[in-house]
Amino acid sequence: MSNKKAVLLMSYGTPYEISDIMGYYTNIRNHHEPPKPLYDELVSRYKAIGGTSPLAKISDAQAKGLQAQLDQEFPGEYQVFVGYKYIHPFIQDAVKDILAAGIKTIYGIPLAPHYSAFNTGDYHARAKEVLVNHGDVTYVEAKSWWQNDDLIHFWSDQLVALKPQIDQPDTKVILSAHSLPMSIIDGGDSYRDEVEANMRTVVKTAGLTPDQYTIAWQSAGRTEQKWIGPDFVTEAQNLIEQDNIKHIISASVGFINDNLEILYDVDIELKQAIETKGGKLTRLQMPNDDPKLISALKAEVLKLAKDRKSVV
């Protein structure tokens, strides 16, 4: 029996190539194939960013970076696994691999720093469903880890570097995160409150004043229900048309990776919307496998280990 602890990093996942998109999209739609117009639209978005998203490679790099940091400080104690919600390796299969390795303690960490029962909570549910008949295995779940100083400074340091531009009266920072259906928020989900607390911490750390930034939401689903707003495309265009803003600085604080929502929704859709109104877009870099992000993940692993000991 292994004395190692498993670290299970979990995320939405992404198609590895164009031929994966139908199966991936079908999984997202609860095993119903998407209508052809929706499928064609998603394919066109991936083609617009080069055919595939770099998300899978970034997640792999994050796992390797975390493994290296853990090995350096705790040699032989941890093994890092990756599981995805909608594409292989699926979260459930990653848990089965952990069980096959004889590991009895699992630290589950979503690769998203803000908790939502709708999203990251479901990652944990998928992991734990495999463990129903494994009472000897302990699963410890991470919820929110956005409060980490390294992650906060990853964003605030970039804003500080741009402060001369931000101080100009024709410049505004738009902080954004992935929108969710308002029905989820109205049901008591903490996601919106956590995201906005994170954003306000970042701008306060960077020394921004309230008139230098605004909060908006992006990448809402194509459904009839109401989603968290305002949408960042509409917000950016209104700032240009109504407030004489010429320069938008985009900080997608709700994400940690370059993915479709960044490379298309920001770099193409938002950029075009801003430029058609005569404005200019600057986007902050994403954490990806930056050392600050890896340090934040390691800190969460150690926090979960401490929490487990305090319970035991």
Side-chain angles (χ1 to χ4, degrees):
M1 183 176 67
S2 172
N3 291 321
K4 283 187 176 180
K5 280 81 72 177
V7 178
L8 175 58
L9 301 179
M10 299 172 286
S11 76
Y12 211 73
T14 186
Y16 298 99
E17 52 190 43
I18 294 294
S19 61
D20 293 325
I21 293 177
M22 178 57 80
Y24 172 75
Y25 207 174
T26 299
N27 287 338
I28 290 174
R29 292 172 53 85
N30 293 318
H31 308 293
H32 294 93
E33 285 194 3
K36 190 173 186 303
L38 287 181
Y39 170 75
D40 289 344
E41 180 186 5
L42 186 58
V43 169
S44 71
R45 287 174 172 246
Y46 277 106
K47 287 183 176 179
I49 66 168
T52 57
S53 162
L55 177 60
K57 291 181 180 178
I58 293 168
S59 298
D60 184 58
Q62 289 167 339
K64 289 179 178 176
L66 177 59
Q67 185 73 66
Q69 283 206 13
L70 291 170
D71 285 345
Q72 184 175 10
E73 191 168 348
F74 309 98
E77 289 192 30
Y78 294 93
Q79 185 172 349
V80 180
F81 296 78
V82 176
Y84 300 123
K85 184 174 180 178
Y86 290 124
I87 200 165
H88 63 88
F90 293 100
I91 291 170
Q92 295 93 325
D93 292 333
V95 175
K96 291 175 184 177
D97 289 342
I98 292 169
L99 295 175
I103 298 175
K104 300 297 183 181
T105 300
I106 305 171
Y107 300 133
I109 304 179
L111 288 173
H114 310 100
Y115 180 77
S116 167
F118 174 76
N119 195 2
T120 55
D122 189 50
Y123 298 166
H124 294 305
R126 289 169 186 252
K128 289 187 285 189
E129 72 182 24
V130 183
L131 301 174
V132 170
N133 297 318
H134 295 272
D136 58 335
V137 176
T138 300
Y139 183 86
V140 187
E141 64 182 72
K143 291 192 174 181
S144 304
W145 49 276
W146 64 264
Q147 301 94 332
N148 181 273
D149 285 344
D150 281 328
L151 187 56
I152 289 168
H153 277 280
F154 176 85
W155 296 108
S156 64
D157 288 353
Q158 292 187 74
L159 293 174
V160 169
L162 291 170
K163 198 68 165 56
Q165 178 62 55
I166 294 172
D167 286 339
Q168 300 302 311
D170 65 349
T171 298
K172 183 82 78 170
V173 176
I174 296 182
L175 301 117
S176 65
H178 205 303
S179 185
L180 285 184
M182 278 302 302
S183 59
I184 303 296
I185 304 305
D186 292 340
D189 196 285
S190 64
Y191 174 76
R192 181 172 64 180
D193 290 341
E194 287 192 16
V195 169
E196 292 183 352
N198 187 177
M199 291 173 173
R200 292 191 175 99
T201 300
V202 167
V203 295
K204 181 179 179 181
T205 304
L208 271 61
T209 58
D211 63 319
Q212 291 181 317
Y213 72 91
T214 188
I215 293 173
W217 301 83
Q218 64 174 93
S219 311
R222 285 155 176 75
T223 66
E224 303 235 341
Q225 59 188 310
K226 184 179 179 182
W227 289 62
I228 309 173
D231 175 73
F232 74 163
V233 170
T234 302
E235 183 75 0
Q237 291 187 321
N238 287 342
L239 287 169
I240 294 169
E241 291 179 332
Q242 300 172 15
D243 296 347
N244 296 316
I245 296 298
K246 300 299 182 185
H247 192 169
I248 301 290
I249 296 175
S250 170
S252 293
V253 174
F255 299 84
I256 63 168
N257 302 311
D258 281 315
N259 54 21
L260 187 68
E261 288 82 0
I262 302 301
L263 300 179
Y264 187 89
D265 295 359
V266 178
D267 290 355
I268 296 177
E269 190 172 47
L270 179 63
K271 183 173 185 285
Q272 288 178 350
I274 289 171
E275 290 181 348
T276 59
K277 299 296 182 181
K280 175 184 176 183
L281 172 67
T282 295
R283 171 172 72 81
L284 299 194
Q285 295 300 304
M286 304 303 294
N288 294 328
D289 61 341
D290 185 274
K292 286 187 173 68
L293 186 280
I294 303 303
S295 293
L297 289 172
K298 187 185 81 170
E300 188 61 23
V301 172
L302 301 185
K303 176 181 177 295
L304 295 179
K306 182 179 178 181
D307 289 347
R308 178 179 183 271
K309 288 180 181 179
S310 67
V311 172
V312 174

